[in-house]
Amino acid sequence: SFPNGGLRSTHCAAAFTTWDRSSPCFVMDKILRVPCAFVTHLGASIDDKIPLLRSNDALKREGLRMLRNIAIATDATEINSFLGWEQ
């Protein structure tokens, strides 16, 4: 059910928490904090982190493809993108 008292089918409420391995775990107030992302059972994003992670994956995949096609750093296995506060 919804917080406002409305009803929904149980299968529509399914969602999963997945560990975001791109962010480090940390301890705060003597509690281990594990960064997570939330996704539905159909793969739809529930939070703002999933689109960012998918974009990062696309940048890595296409960046490596571009490097292979222009014959620069063809042995590269990783591309890291950095996002500053100003973006």
Side-chain angles (χ1 to χ4, degrees):
S1 65
F2 292 109
N4 65 3
L7 296 176
R8 65 179 168 199
S9 302
T10 304
H11 73 279
C12 293
F16 301 98
T17 302
T18 179
W19 178 16
D20 173 18
R21 292 193 166 113
S22 67
S23 299
C25 296
F26 58 95
V27 176
M28 188 166 75
D29 299 328
K30 298 182 182 180
I31 297 172
L32 176 63
R33 310 290 176 146
V34 180
C36 293
F38 302 99
V39 64
T40 67
H41 65 288
L42 296 176
S45 170
I46 298 177
D47 61 0
D48 293 334
K49 194 175 249 189
I50 296 287
L52 179 62
L53 294 173
R54 288 179 179 162
S55 296
N56 246 356
D57 288 343
L59 280 171
K60 176 184 171 185
R61 182 181 62 246
E62 296 304 319
L64 290 172
R65 183 173 158 238
M66 181 192 71
L67 289 175
R68 279 193 308 272
N69 286 336
I70 62 175
I72 296 176
T74 55
D75 59 340
T77 59
E78 189 75 27
I79 290 184
N80 295 313
S81 60
F82 298 96
L83 181 68
W85 287 108
E86 68 278 0
Q87 276 82 23

